């Protein structure tokens, strides 16, 4: 059976992107396991690794949401308070608030989330959906 092992993210400048991403990854419980100008890796036991790579062609970013490719990465957390906390960490690290923390009843009656985007156009969601999908 296949498992999800890692996510590679291409950015214009690995050290600059790392400065923005690292506080969020660490707030999610990840630890940096590799730190080089051309590759940075964060890991967490039992979770896929997160890798940053430099773009092959300089100055080709940022990614534009809605185009073919990356949509967003959603992190499921244990509470609404945790969604709010992570959103705050991202804001302090220079992320753009795409959508402030709020309820999303169009997904489920319990769905609470925020969406943020970094300088490379990398979009993440912090979400709390206690009963999961399709349980309404």
């Amino acid at each position: 059976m296949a498992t999800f092992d890692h996510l590679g993210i291409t950015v214009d400048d690995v050290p600059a992107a790392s400065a923005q991403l690292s506080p969020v990854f660490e707030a999610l419980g990840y630890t940096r396991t590799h730190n080089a100008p051309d590759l940075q890796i964060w890991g967490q036991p039992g979770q896929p690794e997160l890798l940053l790579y430099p773009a092959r062609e300089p100055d080709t970013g940022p990614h534009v949401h809605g185009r073919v490719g990356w949509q967003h990465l959603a992190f499921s957390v244990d509470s609404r308070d945790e969604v709010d906390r992570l959103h705050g960490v991202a804001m302090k690290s220079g992320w753009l608030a795409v959508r402030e923390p709020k309820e999303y009843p169009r997904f489920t009656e319990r769905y609470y989330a925020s969406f943020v985007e970094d300088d490379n156009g990398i979009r993440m969601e912090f979400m709390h959906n206690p009963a999961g999908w399709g349980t309404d």
Side-chain angles (χ1 to χ4, degrees):
M1 176 176 204
T3 59
F4 180 42
D5 183 75
H6 65 274
L7 174 66
I9 303 169
T10 301
V11 297
D12 274 330
D13 180 304
V14 171
S18 175
Q20 208 172 23
L21 289 162
S22 190
V24 171
F25 290 165
E26 290 170 8
L28 287 161
Y30 284 81
T31 303
R32 190 185 329 248
T33 60
H34 185 81
N35 186 5
D38 62 344
L39 175 64
Q40 298 201 10
I41 303 172
W42 289 263
Q44 182 178 162
Q47 297 297 318
E49 289 182 312
L50 304 170
L51 294 77
L52 286 186
Y53 294 102
R56 290 181 183 160
E57 296 179 31
D59 301 318
T60 55
H63 171 74
V64 177
H65 183 77
R67 291 193 176 168
V68 172
W70 175 276
Q71 170 48 281
H72 71 278
L73 176 62
F75 289 95
S76 178
V77 297
D78 292 335
S79 69
R80 290 175 175 221
D81 287 342
E82 186 67 357
V83 169
D84 295 342
R85 183 183 77 83
L86 290 164
H87 184 84
V89 168
M91 294 300 92
K92 288 178 185 170
S93 300
W95 292 63
L96 170 70
V98 176
R99 292 190 182 98
E100 297 287 337
K102 68 177 189 175
E103 293 178 347
Y104 287 88
R106 67 184 173 137
F107 300 145
T108 74
E109 291 180 13
R110 301 155 309 282
Y111 206 101
Y112 183 81
S114 87
F115 293 82
V116 296
E117 191 171 279
D118 78 350
D119 291 343
N120 285 282
I122 305 301
R123 189 171 290 195
M124 291 189 190
E125 172 187 2
F126 311 120
M127 49 85 64
H128 176 64
N129 185 28
W133 292 92
T135 57
D136 286 336

